[in-house]
Amino acid sequence: RGAVVVLLITGPLLFWLTCSFPAPSMTWFGIKMLFVLLILVGMIVGGINAKKAAQGDAAAQTMMQRMGMLSGGSLLIVVLAAVFAFN
């Protein structure tokens, strides 16, 4: 959770300090931040469903696994978009 908060805070701060925002890489930065938000959504929904899965809800277990895959795929895209945004 802390890592996502760090991404949400330091991403715009780093972009502002290095590029002063109106840079050509703003598109990649926007994509990066969108997928950081998807990671956050995946964590929230996964956490909610973890409590239900602990009580034996099979559908919640499946949803929790899907949110994990969503977060993992989003993390890969965040890294790639960050490379393109800041390079």
Side-chain angles (χ1 to χ4, degrees), residues 16-28:
W16 176 66
L17 291 173
T18 60
C19 303
S20 300
F21 270 107
S25 56
M26 190 65 181
T27 302
W28 284 109

Side-chain angles (χ1 to χ4, degrees), residues 1 39-54 60 63-65 67-68 71:
R1 293 180 207 159
I39 291 171
L40 182 63
V41 168
M43 287 175 53
I44 292 169
V45 173
I48 291 169
N49 282 300
K51 292 178 183 177
K52 293 178 184 177
M63 181 61 77
M64 191 175 68
Q65 290 173 346
M67 291 299 107
S71 295

